[in-house]
């Protein structure tokens, strides 16, 4: 197999709770993750020239070891002493530095692609074990679907699939540092925790309204203090008929869960008209796990 075209899917957090901080700086979390049908396109091609060539449609993204996709390819090339080279073309659509695991998903997809292209014979679990060395979200991005993530995000339990719905994504024109958000969180005592068990119950019952009403993100308070526009976007979505709206990950992306596509489209129009966000998409959930 000399060429591959793959989709690197984005994610949202239906629930995100932080239980504590480890001595090594990592945080113990309890999260419900959901894959979206919003993706980056990744093309991979074997080359006779050794090494990794990475190209991307965004001029400001690094194309060396500072890019997770590059590091993913490098990891397997070194471990398996691959003599050929690989050319990776990354067409980005998932908002960058936005709490949607775009970089982690790119890394996961390159690991998956390298395994297939060079016939390395690694199982999904073996890919996930390597992925966690690149980032806490990478194992989830290899698995995909509706998943409970615990530990630092690497202990994954598949959950009943999220009921079909429409998801509105809106990313305001700001970038948020995950590291800084967690550092600021550490300086506060967490008094309110999201209802993760409520989300799990809603998923088991296939009750979209129960899932939406239980959604919560402990990082919201920290990020909204810095960027009030996140709260404004949430309010527009809710007033337009979202069952609920919330920040994904460390932000600043906001997503709304809708049971009617027309309402999601109306909310998208209002967000654009009020110039609250530059990247606005109406999409859906993606429940298929990676084979």
């Amino acid at each position: 197999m000399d060429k591959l075209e793959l989709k690197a899917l984005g994610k949202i957090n239906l629930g995100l709770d932080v239980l504590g901080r480890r001595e090594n700086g990592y945080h113990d979390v309890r999260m419900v993750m959901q894959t979206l049908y919003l993706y980056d396109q990744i093309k991979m091609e074997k080359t006779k020239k050794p090494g990794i060539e990475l190209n991307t449609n965004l001029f400001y993204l690094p194309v060396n070891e500072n890019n997770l996709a590059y590091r993913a390819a490098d990891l397997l090339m070194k471990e398996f002493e691959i003599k050929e080279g690989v050319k990776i073309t990354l067409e980005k659509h998932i908002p960058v530095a936005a709490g949607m695991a775009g970089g982690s998903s790119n890394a996961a997809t390159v690991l998956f692609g390298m395994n297939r292209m060079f016939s390395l014979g690694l199982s999904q679990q073996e890919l996930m074990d390597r992925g966690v060395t690149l980032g806490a979200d990478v194992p989830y991005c290899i698995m995909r679907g509706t998943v409970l993530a615990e530990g630092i995000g690497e202990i994954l339990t598949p959950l009943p699939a999220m009921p079909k719905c429409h998801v509105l994504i809106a990313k305001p024109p700001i970038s948020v540092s995950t590291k800084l958000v967690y550092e600021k969180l550490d300086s506060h005592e967490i008094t309110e925790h999201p209802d993760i068990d409520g989300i799990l119950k809603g998923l088991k019952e296939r009750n979209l309204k129960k899932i939406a009403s239980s959604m919560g993100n402990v990082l919201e308070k920290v990020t909204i203090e810095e960027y009030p526009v996140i709260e404004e976007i949430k309010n527009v979505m809710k007033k337009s008929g979202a069952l609920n709206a919330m920040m994904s990950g460390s932000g600043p992306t906001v997503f709304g869960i809708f049971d009617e596509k027309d309402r999601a489209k109306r909310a998208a129009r209002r967000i654009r008209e009020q110039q609250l966000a530059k990247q606005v998409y109406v999409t859906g959930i993606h429940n298929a796990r990676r084979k």
Side-chain angles (χ1 to χ4, degrees):
M1 192 175 288
D2 293 336
K3 287 185 181 179
L4 274 178
E5 285 195 29
L6 301 164
K7 292 180 173 72
L9 303 175
K11 65 85 184 160
I12 52 175
N13 299 86
L14 299 171
L16 194 165
D17 197 6
V18 176
L19 308 176
R21 184 176 183 273
R22 298 183 181 185
E23 285 181 12
N24 62 6
Y26 278 103
H27 290 77
D28 281 298
V29 294
R30 193 164 183 246
M31 308 184 288
V32 179
M33 319 269 267
Q34 176 61 52
T35 316
L36 287 186
Y37 202 69
L38 175 64
Y39 56 86
D40 296 336
Q41 195 82 37
I42 295 183
K43 293 179 182 175
M44 299 178 67
E45 190 176 347
K46 272 186 194 176
T47 60
K48 288 191 169 63
K49 183 185 171 188
I52 302 157
E53 181 189 340
L54 177 63
N55 302 299
T56 170
N57 60 324
L58 299 181
F59 70 90
Y60 52 84
L61 285 184
V63 290
N64 54 19
E65 60 278 355
N66 293 318
N67 189 304
L68 276 179
Y70 185 104
R71 282 167 56 196
D74 191 48
L75 180 83
L76 293 182
M77 287 187 108
K78 282 176 177 164
E79 180 183 349
F80 289 90
E81 299 179 350
I82 295 168
K83 301 293 181 242
E84 295 159 289
V86 65
K87 180 182 176 184
I88 301 167
T89 305
L90 179 54
E91 192 179 308
K92 293 288 293 178
H93 301 287
I94 302 168
V96 176
M100 294 190 70
S104 295
S105 188
N106 295 161
T109 302
V110 168
L111 289 175
F112 177 84
M114 292 288 291
N115 187 42
R116 182 177 281 187
M117 185 177 269
F118 293 98
S119 304
L120 304 180
L122 296 171
S123 67
Q124 186 184 73
Q125 186 58 53
E126 287 170 329
L127 286 175
M128 287 160 64
D129 292 343
R130 286 158 177 79
V132 77
T133 67
L134 298 168
D137 280 344
V138 176
Y140 165 72
C141 292
I142 290 169
M143 182 183 272
R144 306 206 292 207
T146 315
V147 171
L148 176 68
E150 296 172 292
I152 62 165
E154 87 290 11
I155 302 167
L156 303 176
T157 308
L159 296 171
M162 173 85 167
K164 194 179 175 200
C165 59
H166 305 282
V167 184
L168 173 59
I169 298 292
K171 194 235 173 191
I174 49 178
S175 291
V176 171
S177 162
T178 301
K179 187 171 179 282
L180 291 178
V181 170
Y182 273 100
E183 281 173 6
K184 197 159 184 193
L185 181 76
D186 290 336
S187 65
H188 297 278
E189 189 185 349
I190 302 169
T191 52
E192 288 180 43
H193 290 270
D195 186 8
I196 302 293
D197 289 334
I199 299 170
L200 301 184
K201 192 164 186 278
L203 287 166
K204 194 175 179 182
E205 295 170 358
R206 297 197 58 74
N207 183 336
L208 187 62
K209 287 182 178 171
K210 169 76 175 162
I211 296 163
S213 67
S214 302
M215 285 180 358
N217 181 347
V218 82
L219 301 179
E220 262 193 350
K221 189 172 180 292
V222 175
T223 312
I224 288 171
E225 276 177 13
E226 294 286 321
Y227 304 107
V229 67
I230 293 167
E231 192 69 58
E232 290 179 59
I233 296 169
K234 283 176 63 178
N235 289 336
V236 171
M237 289 186 184
K238 288 175 184 177
K239 284 175 186 171
S240 302
L243 298 175
N244 205 349
M246 192 175 86
M247 184 182 85
S248 184
S250 53
T253 299
V254 178
F255 69 91
I257 302 288
F258 292 80
D259 52 8
E260 291 183 26
K261 196 171 189 177
D262 287 348
R263 288 178 178 173
K265 285 183 170 178
R266 187 164 65 237
R269 265 197 313 274
R270 286 175 181 165
I271 289 164
R272 286 193 189 101
E273 283 163 6
Q274 293 176 39
Q275 298 183 328
L276 297 173
K278 286 192 172 180
Q279 290 173 281
V280 184
Y281 307 98
V282 177
T283 184
I285 54 165
H286 185 282
N287 279 323
R289 301 209 189 280
R290 209 193 282 270
K291 295 287 186 286

